[in-house]
Amino acid sequence: FKQKTAYEMLRSLVGSEMCIRDSLRTARKLLERDQLTAGEIEELAELSQANIQDIRRLIHDLRPAALDELGLVPALREYLARCQQEHGLVVEFTADEGERLPASVEMALFRITQEALNNVVKHAQARRVDVALMQDEAHVTLCVADDGRGFDPQSPLAGTHVGLWSMRERVEQLGGRFEVQSAPGTGTTVRIVIPYGSESVGGPLRP
């Protein structure tokens, strides 16, 4: 429900921003004789257009069409390719082409991958990230490893990392295991193991 509400809110914001953009451009035409005012209005229109693009990206990341239509592996492949292009990372992705997972498990793994890559971009100063998704008859395993600066997982400051806390919460909600291996100067590896059929554990999932 929360995910649907956030999705609809973002769609509404896109519509509002489009109205603002169109109104500003109409106003610009009416003020063409005043070059300074017209230029300022055009700057606002361009800013509004940038906001529309950002919100559309948020909508896509909140519920990527590929995840619903094709499954987790194609959705991750698309997302990781975009990360590589936008952030200059070398991203290697390997995955077992197994059966479709429960929808809640696929969504959780997609979100965890997003959060792990966000941590890499913000904190790791990494050049390369390896993402591996493996399935057997009872479990699915996700590993995200970077060659960045690393950190001490036992440090009190590690417990304040919102991204790690969020990933751990998602995994535990599905009855899985969450592990972080890191040390200063050695990069970081996040490993998640989630059992199949555990979507009923812990109640409804947050988006």
Side-chain angles (χ1 to χ4, degrees):
F1 175 77
K2 290 180 180 179
Q3 178 176 309
K4 182 177 180 181
T5 300
Y7 182 83
E8 293 303 326
M9 287 175 63
L10 287 171
R11 287 183 62 88
S12 177
L13 282 171
V14 169
S16 298
E17 287 287 351
M18 291 178 68
C19 289
I20 293 171
R21 179 198 62 192
D22 294 342
S23 296
L24 287 170
R25 287 184 171 165
T26 299
R28 179 184 60 81
K29 292 179 182 179
L30 297 174
L31 295 169
E32 286 178 348
R33 294 180 183 179
D34 185 341
Q35 295 299 319
L36 179 61
T37 303
E40 291 174 344
I41 290 176
E42 180 59 24
E43 286 181 11
L44 289 172
E46 291 174 358
L47 177 61
S48 181
Q49 177 63 26
N51 287 342
I52 291 171
Q53 292 173 351
D54 287 343
I55 293 169
R56 281 176 172 160
R57 179 175 299 176
L58 284 172
I59 291 174
H60 178 273
D61 287 346
L62 186 64
R63 190 76 188 187
L67 187 60
D68 286 331
E69 297 171 4
L70 302 176
L72 180 62
V73 172
L76 285 178
R77 188 172 287 119
E78 178 185 289
Y79 170 73
L80 294 171
R82 182 152 56 85
C83 284
Q84 180 169 265
Q85 181 179 9
E86 292 180 356
H87 302 295
L89 290 167
V90 175
V91 181
E92 293 293 332
F93 178 49
T94 58
D96 293 338
E97 297 287 349
E99 62 183 21
R100 287 288 300 266
L101 298 166
S104 60
V105 175
E106 289 193 336
M107 177 56 73
L109 289 170
F110 186 84
R111 288 281 172 267
I112 290 165
T113 304
Q114 284 182 313
E115 289 162 354
L117 266 290
N118 186 56
N119 280 353
V120 171
V121 170
K122 285 187 174 181
H123 307 297
Q125 299 178 2
R127 294 180 303 240
R128 178 188 175 97
V129 183
D130 291 278
V131 180
L133 185 70
M134 297 157 283
Q135 292 180 239
D136 59 28
E137 293 182 356
H139 300 85
V140 57
T141 301
L142 173 69
C143 288
V144 180
D146 68 66
D147 65 352
R149 62 182 183 175
F151 67 100
D152 179 4
Q154 303 304 317
S155 167
L157 291 176
T160 66
H161 291 181
V162 175
L164 293 176
W165 176 85
S166 178
M167 285 186 279
R168 185 183 300 276
E169 183 186 44
R170 290 183 188 277
V171 173
E172 291 178 350
Q173 196 173 21
L174 286 167
R177 298 197 314 272
F178 177 83
E179 301 171 359
V180 178
Q181 296 177 343
S182 187
T186 65
T188 300
T189 298
V190 174
R191 184 172 183 268
I192 292 102
V193 181
I194 296 176
Y196 283 16
S198 60
E199 58 184 328
S200 61
V201 176
L205 293 175
R206 63 185 178 86

